Amino acid sequence: SREDLLAFYRAFRDDLAKDPRSTFASTAPYISLQIYHHASVRLPAVRPLSLYTFPAAYTGRRESDVLVSKRNILLWDLAPLLQLFAKINAQPWQFIGADDLYRQGLHSWQDWADLRAAVYFPYDWLQTMTFYDWLAMALPTFVPDSPFYGYAWGTNSQDAWKVALPENDTPAVPYPYHYGDWLDLEGRAHWWSLTDFQVLPGLARFSSVGDLLSQLASREALHELSGQLRQAHAERLVNAAPFWRADGLTCLPLRVR
């Protein structure tokens, strides 16, 4: 209910966020802005590093295989659709989902990193872990360049997050549009521009299937993208280290002599 949400936001702002034993962060600035709108709490954005994928690293040895994020959207499956476009245009690429790799007995992170590239289609919950796993391995990652994905029932729900603390003093400049206002087309484009699909370096964006097929053609370009992803990941690792170091110290028990 509205009252329950407001009670939670107040408890989060007044108790949990101020407790020196607690540390909170979001996975992206996009999410931090949403939390600030509702609870007036400023959270640092610390992107996932996916270090558990180490030592897997991009090779592109499977030159024809392109991984597709496995999310059936409504009643259609993306990998077969892309495969049909490739066949019609006489392109050699084989678009495969993660579950298809599993059925082939390819279970490791390195199996993913050996593919030519990957195509990530955002879905209802933006900023999910698979996306960051691919970036950690420097797997050339393509995302559709369309604010259409700002219409997300999970992250940008019209119905789920309707209340905010009345004490909220969020300035208008960093929050000019409400993320749940689906009738505001300019606002959709604004929030899409704040996602990591738009702001992180090294990602390849495509405007059509033809554009995607064209960009997949150059091995040199793919390896250049991989290098950019690797450098960007190293920079995020360095930038995140102070946060995780401080968080680890917070978790240590105090010893009184």
Side-chain angles (χ1 to χ4, degrees):
S1 69
R2 175 185 176 87
E3 291 71 23
D4 290 336
L5 278 175
L6 288 174
F8 170 74
Y9 293 152
R10 289 193 183 95
F12 180 65
R13 181 195 62 188
D14 299 335
D15 300 323
L16 294 174
K18 294 179 180 179
D19 190 329
R21 299 168 298 177
S22 302
T23 302
F24 294 95
S26 77
T27 57
Y30 188 103
I31 307 299
S32 291
L33 278 173
Q34 293 183 337
I35 294 171
Y36 182 46
H37 169 73
H38 289 284
S40 294
V41 176
R42 298 178 184 270
L43 294 187
V46 185
R47 293 180 174 91
L49 297 171
S50 299
L51 296 179
Y52 46 77
T53 64
F54 183 81
Y58 177 65
T59 66
R61 282 195 290 259
R62 297 183 59 170
E63 296 185 358
S64 297
D65 293 338
V66 179
L67 182 63
V68 180
S69 55
K70 187 58 179 177
R71 284 289 173 180
N72 292 348
I73 298 179
L74 298 180
L75 300 178
W76 45 281
D77 199 346
L78 294 164
L81 283 175
L82 292 175
Q83 191 61 55
L84 180 60
F85 276 102
K87 180 179 179 180
I88 292 173
N89 289 276
Q91 297 296 319
W93 322 129
Q94 297 293 317
F95 292 94
I96 53 180
D99 58 337
D100 298 320
L101 287 179
Y102 189 86
R103 283 193 290 268
Q104 296 174 24
L106 303 174
H107 306 157
S108 72
W109 295 113
Q110 189 58 55
D111 290 329
W112 286 22
D114 287 340
L115 302 179
R116 184 180 188 87
V119 185
Y120 187 91
F121 286 92
Y123 68 107
D124 277 357
W125 294 100
L126 301 177
Q127 323 290 168
T128 53
M129 289 302 299
T130 298
F131 173 70
Y132 297 103
D133 295 343
W134 293 0
L135 303 191
M137 296 183 288
L139 176 62
T141 299
F142 291 79
V143 294
D145 189 8
S146 171
F148 167 80
Y149 291 96
Y151 294 93
W153 280 107
T155 306
N156 295 337
S157 174
Q158 298 181 92
D159 304 315
W161 321 106
K162 286 190 172 181
V163 300
L165 291 179
E167 301 91 338
N168 190 295
D169 61 348
T170 308
V173 175
Y175 207 101
Y177 308 96
H178 192 281
Y179 63 85
D181 184 358
W182 285 21
L183 298 179
D184 183 359
L185 299 182
E186 188 174 292
R188 295 301 86 207
H190 170 79
W191 280 101
W192 173 245
S193 72
L194 297 178
T195 65
D196 280 356
F197 309 119
Q198 288 290 301
V199 302
L200 290 184
L203 289 172
R205 301 168 186 87
F206 61 94
S207 58
S208 66
V209 176
D211 184 22
L212 171 63
L213 297 178
S214 175
Q215 292 190 60
L216 285 172
S218 172
R219 282 185 55 83
E220 291 76 13
L222 293 177
H223 280 279
E224 182 177 345
L225 287 172
S226 178
Q228 294 174 15
L229 291 175
R230 188 174 306 283
Q231 178 177 342
H233 184 266
E235 292 174 358
R236 288 196 295 275
L237 177 61
V238 171
N239 292 334
F243 171 84
W244 291 115
R245 186 181 300 114
D247 178 59
L249 292 174
T250 300
C251 296
L252 293 176
L254 294 177
R255 295 183 179 179
V256 180
R257 294 183 178 180

